Amino acid sequence: MTTGTGTTTGKAGALVIFGATGDLAKLETFPALVGLVDRGVLDVPVVGVAKSGWGLEQFRDYAVNSLKLNKMDPNSPAAKKMLGLLRYVDGDLDDAATYKAMSDAIGQASNVLYYMEVPPFLFARIAQGIADAGRADGARVMVEKPFGHDLKSSQELNRTMLKYYPEDAIFRVDDWLGFDPVENLLATRFANSVFEPLLSRDHVHDIQITMAEEFDVSDRGKFYDRTGAIRDVLQNHLLQVMAMVMADPPPGPGLASWRDSKSQLIAAVRPLTPEDAIRGQYDGYLDVDGVAKDSTTESYVAVRLHIDSWRWSGVPVVIRTGKTLPVTATEVHIRFRRPPHDVFGLEPSSMTNTLRLRVYPGAQAGLKLVGKKPGTAGWVLREEDLAFAQQAKSEMRTYDRLIGAALSGKRWLFARQDTIEACWRIVDPILGDAVPLHHYARDSWGPKEADSLLPDGIPWHDPA
């Protein structure tokens, strides 16, 4: 067995996309490749591998239709250059001839990036085919989530991948890590000295993270009913967002050690218990095509996390996500402790400073301050929201950023296996039917039982 043991540093000499005629390629990959060409990042052969019965011209037509679908001009200079870089191999992934043809299409290129836009059960077969063709050494591989469906399956999948590639050659995609507003969380934290010293148990009362989706499962019933909210977004996206907000600043120059910081934070989170979780299912979910009539899959989950670290011990952290909620928005809400002494004799008062970080849509930060209400006798306080760092939609697509980072061998935008396993350890105890299921109305904020997870009777922060 040939094993990829060479270095993964340096620019990739070719990009090979397995599953290049699938939905992800149509919706994200081809538009991202145009952006990479336009920025001068991509100028190497792009080999698509799939079993569609197509030839190169049909593959290029598929790419053209993808660009039109994404409202991009296929006749622009960058698009025409991208289309010219395309190669195509049609074949069965179980056939050694497919990998021989792939190798021929790559030619003499080294440091090849293999992007697996396929279900995880195909990862091992593809990895073996690449190795048997003698093209694994010095290569890197980019794989889509989900990386397993629980802790055990994630570990088994990782052992399989490590037979063919070293850890630093595996780029595990969590698309939210390439999301521009999520990256803005780092800028807000580490480019502003006024915030970072306050983010600790000494000043923070509680942290809430909400990922609300106004839409329902729609035509994804069969997929979603096997997945649910915990596996779909809590185990990956939301725990990663939590780590972006709460992990210690990385030491040294740059972000090379940032994944170490995130790993340490997530490793400090205790595994959840059923008492720390509320699951919900929106009214009408059972009527969706592809959903089992007796399904207990959750479309909503809320959890209360406990973090055993010097910095965050005792600070309640609550996370919730759900479908058919009143808005589509993702926000981090950090509530600071009240002043230690009531100078104005106004207690009890619910007013306190908060830092709000909008992750979607767009990027925004807001700081709530307390001041005196003007024009009144005596001390009457009011809250003012100072919004800043507002950003319009990023010009760089998420997959433009992710594929570009993998082509360059930059790993900080990707999830590391120890962190993925730590996330599974957190959620494993609440998978399946370990937590009772509550029903909730559409256009509500989920089951009222989720209020029990909040500290001291504090309400949920509902994104506007």
Side-chain angles (χ1 to χ4, degrees), residues 356-439:
R356 176 180 54 83
L357 302 170
R358 170 66 67 91
V359 176
Y360 184 86
Q364 185 188 82
L367 183 64
K368 182 180 289 185
L369 303 175
V370 179
K372 181 181 180 297
K373 187 175 182 180
T376 58
W379 292 101
V380 179
L381 303 183
R382 70 173 184 179
E383 296 174 320
E384 294 285 350
D385 194 40
L386 176 64
F388 58 100
Q390 300 185 45
Q391 295 182 5
K393 185 177 179 181
S394 172
E395 295 181 1
M396 188 186 302
R397 302 175 72 95
T398 298
Y399 277 84
D400 181 334
R401 183 177 290 105
L402 289 169
I403 297 173
L407 285 168
S408 302
K410 298 176 181 176
R411 290 182 285 273
W412 75 273
L413 280 175
F414 297 89
R416 207 167 64 185
Q417 179 63 17
D418 60 345
T419 304
I420 291 174
E421 290 186 13
C423 290
W424 280 122
R425 287 190 184 94
I426 293 169
V427 304
D428 253 20
I430 64 167
L431 293 177
D433 293 328
V435 178
L437 188 71
H438 303 276
H439 292 275

Side-chain angles (χ1 to χ4, degrees), residues 215-273:
F215 48 88
D216 59 19
V217 173
S218 186
D219 59 354
R220 299 171 68 234
K222 186 176 181 180
F223 160 79
Y224 196 87
D225 204 41
R226 297 194 306 264
T227 308
I230 297 172
R231 290 183 172 94
D232 192 35
V233 294
L234 175 61
Q235 182 272 338
N236 40 68
H237 299 335
L238 292 176
L239 291 181
Q240 289 283 353
V241 169
M242 178 197 71
M244 299 281 271
V245 173
M246 301 177 68
D248 287 343
L255 292 167
S257 61
W258 175 232
R259 297 200 302 174
D260 292 334
S261 297
K262 289 198 302 175
S263 177
Q264 291 165 6
L265 186 281
I266 292 177
V269 180
R270 296 180 204 167
L272 287 162
T273 67

Side-chain angles (χ1 to χ4, degrees), residues 142 147 178 203 220 283 329 333 337 406-407:
M142 183 172 165
F147 209 78
H203 302 285
R220 299 171 68 234
D283 293 338
H333 186 260
R337 295 185 181 277
L407 285 168

Side-chain angles (χ1 to χ4, degrees), residues 271-316:
L272 287 162
T273 67
E275 292 72 32
D276 289 322
I278 298 293
R279 292 194 313 136
Q281 187 185 89
Y282 67 80
D283 293 338
Y285 175 81
L286 297 180
D287 298 326
V288 176
D289 287 342
V291 170
K293 296 308 177 185
D294 58 351
S295 174
T296 56
T297 297
E298 75 283 348
S299 61
Y300 172 101
V301 64
V303 296
R304 177 177 53 214
L305 300 173
H306 304 276
I307 301 176
D308 295 322
S309 77
W310 190 274
R311 182 172 182 149
W312 293 110
S313 179
V315 176

Side-chain angles (χ1 to χ4, degrees), residues 1 5 43 45 53 108 174 228 290 317 356:
M1 180 183 298
T5 56
D43 58 359
Q108 299 301 311
D174 181 336
V317 179
R356 176 180 54 83

